[in-house]
Amino acid sequence: MNDKNPKSSSGKFRKWFKRKHKKKQPDPYYLQDELSDGDDFMEDIYVSSLEIDPCTSTNELRIFVGTWNVAGRAPVGSLAVDLEEWLKPQDAVDIYVLGFQEIVPLKTRTVIGTEDPRKATNWNLLIGKVLNESSGCPWLTPMLNPISSDSYHYVRNPGLEKRASFSAICDNTRMRGKPITQHRHHQQAVIGGSKYKLMASKKMVGVFISVWMKEELVTKYTVSNVKVSSVACGIMGYLGNKGSVSVSMSIERTSFCFIAAHLASGEKQGYEGRRNHQVSEIFKRTSFPRSAKDEHNLHPLTILGHDRIFWFGDLNYRLYNLEDNLARHLIQKKDWKALQEFDQLRREQEDGGVFQGWREGNIEFAPTYKYSSSNFNRYSGGVPSRSGEKQRTPAWCDRILWYGKGVKLLSYLRSEIKFSDHRPVSALFSTQIEVNKSSNPRIFSKDTIVPNIMPPEQIGTSGNYEEGKATLLSLIVKDTEASSIHTKKL
């Protein structure tokens, strides 16, 4: 194991993080009344900016962030109904950012074997179906090869009014001590008719992120520098059973970073050091490198360089020094405040912690892990311990944090979907973006965006290319027909 002294590594990172932020002025966006003891947290954390550039204006976006460990189960059966219950598709949401863990079983074959793009594709197909068909729109997932190193933004082609191109930029996938740049390009087919478009998607073993945005906003605003990055820091410090997948993107003059993570498990004393070490590694090794095409279009290179940052996933932080029977007693009483006194992640948000300065909403729901695999209605183990069940003290393993100005938390809750040993968690945010007053929104017709099909030798997964191409073309035909029918009805 390379993680011989995770405590030392995370300690160094804390000092670096503290030095980086200690000289910053108080953030005018956040005014929390400390005397309120957190009761009015969601109402007090956000106020208007005190300084506004006269050449820009601010617009509001609503972002749904969700995380769910699906315990290696495939997106089949009644999951479409469950997913709709969780996402609750509604017109008020502008961007959906979904993070999943264990979309494949974490076995030797899946951890060290070749990535299978079909798993991510199936999830994207289901998400697109739920987000679009629930609002009466035809749908199409725009990504043929979801695990490839993908990035794109719309570029107007001055020579052809009815065409636009995608600028594809490589993803920097890093193994411990050995950066590997993969020059794979994904294929895009964005056809008119769908309400939400897939902006980015990335899979690393079982960790998966999928970002969707309203089509009308994609054409209204300048969306640029969509990039992905992955950091593997699991077994031996570099295998992908644990780690993160991240998306960086800019909307007008505001940059966003979304980090979906799956950290080390274990509730024994000292295991939080492993999680802290992995957080430090993700901060240090996540990067969004610039290319020659970015010469006049600069973007943040690291996580902390972004304006709005969201970190979410199965972070696996447990309850510290709390006996199992007492934890279950507090859960039965729904005394969430008393239970949070033992929460490891809350401690890491204090001075010297790896998440110092990061924010999280009030937790007013039961711990999300671990539910019995034989009966998802109750927690695993307990006294007397049930035969064949793992004895785990319930904990809030699934969390959503954020960092940066201009973010207001509207809701933070869990869903009661009994699909795995975790309950999914979601947060709804209102955030501000800076828009140039002088710039005119670019409007594209449905004929503007065309598929960009790359030859298999440039994709890096040529074995799946023909199958994926046939699937993509059939979906284009289906979506075009559905769009035509929908237009006639209108």
Side-chain angles (χ1 to χ4, degrees), residues 314-340:
D314 180 1
L315 306 188
N316 256 320
Y317 285 97
R318 308 301 174 95
L319 299 176
Y320 182 76
N321 285 344
L322 180 63
E323 292 183 2
D324 181 81
N325 59 344
L326 178 56
R328 293 173 190 265
H329 174 68
L330 292 175
I331 292 170
Q332 190 173 13
K333 290 177 60 179
K334 297 185 179 180
D335 192 347
W336 313 134
K337 187 175 180 180
L339 204 60
Q340 286 176 60

Side-chain angles (χ1 to χ4, degrees), residues 64 94-100 120-121 123-125 127-128 131 140-154 166-171 185-190 196-204 207-214 218 223-230 245-251 256-260 288 306 312:
F64 178 105
D94 299 308
I95 300 173
Y96 279 91
V97 183
L98 306 178
F100 296 87
T121 299
W123 276 102
N124 277 331
L125 286 169
I127 295 166
L131 291 181
L140 168 70
T141 183
M143 190 166 293
L144 170 63
N145 185 15
I147 67 160
S148 63
S149 307
D150 52 89
S151 178
Y152 77 91
H153 66 273
Y154 295 119
F166 295 98
S167 66
I169 304 170
C170 67
D171 160 37
H185 298 272
H186 79 284
Q187 299 72 48
Q188 296 291 334
V190 183
Y196 289 95
K197 298 298 182 184
L198 181 58
M199 303 304 294
S201 176
K202 180 66 179 174
K203 173 185 177 294
M204 180 189 72
V207 190
F208 174 57
I209 189 170
S210 187
V211 180
W212 299 73
M213 187 172 180
K214 272 186 180 178
V218 174
V223 181
S224 60
N225 301 317
V226 183
K227 298 172 180 284
V228 296
S229 178
S230 60
V245 287
S246 306
V247 171
S248 171
M249 62 188 295
S250 295
I251 304 175
F256 292 84
C257 187
F258 305 105
I259 306 105
F288 306 98
H306 292 76
F312 48 98

Side-chain angles (χ1 to χ4, degrees), residues 308-450:
R308 320 274 189 264
I309 312 169
F310 301 87
W311 187 307
F312 48 98
D314 180 1
L315 306 188
N316 256 320
Y317 285 97
R318 308 301 174 95
L319 299 176
Y320 182 76
N321 285 344
L322 180 63
E323 292 183 2
D324 181 81
N325 59 344
L326 178 56
R328 293 173 190 265
H329 174 68
L330 292 175
I331 292 170
Q332 190 173 13
K333 290 177 60 179
K334 297 185 179 180
D335 192 347
W336 313 134
K337 187 175 180 180
L339 204 60
Q340 286 176 60
E341 293 295 321
F342 302 91
D343 181 59
Q344 291 177 345
L345 182 54
R346 287 294 164 103
R347 298 187 177 202
E348 293 304 323
Q349 292 173 258
E350 299 171 356
D351 289 346
V354 291
F355 281 112
Q356 178 184 339
W358 288 71
R359 293 182 174 272
E360 181 182 22
N362 284 334
I363 299 178
E364 297 179 349
F365 49 82
T368 56
Y369 175 85
K370 172 182 174 55
Y371 282 86
S372 169
S373 57
S374 61
N375 182 355
F376 291 137
N377 289 306
R378 60 173 173 78
Y379 291 110
S380 179
V383 180
S385 181
R386 293 177 173 85
S387 176
E389 287 193 354
K390 292 183 178 180
Q391 183 69 25
R392 295 288 185 270
T393 300
W396 288 293
C397 291
D398 309 278
R399 313 288 279 270
I400 300 173
L401 309 176
W402 79 92
Y403 189 90
K405 300 178 180 180
V407 178
K408 178 181 180 181
L409 177 64
L410 302 178
S411 67
Y412 190 33
L413 45 86
R414 77 172 211 170
S415 296
E416 301 304 320
I417 301 174
K418 301 172 180 64
F419 184 75
S420 76
D421 55 355
H422 289 251
R423 292 291 194 266
V425 173
S426 63
L428 182 62
F429 297 95
S430 170
T431 185
Q432 302 291 315
I433 60 169
E434 292 186 5
V435 181
N436 285 325
K437 289 182 178 179
S438 58
S439 64
N440 295 319
R442 296 169 298 166
I443 305 299
F444 294 93
S445 69
K446 72 174 185 178
D447 297 322
T448 302
I449 311 304
V450 296

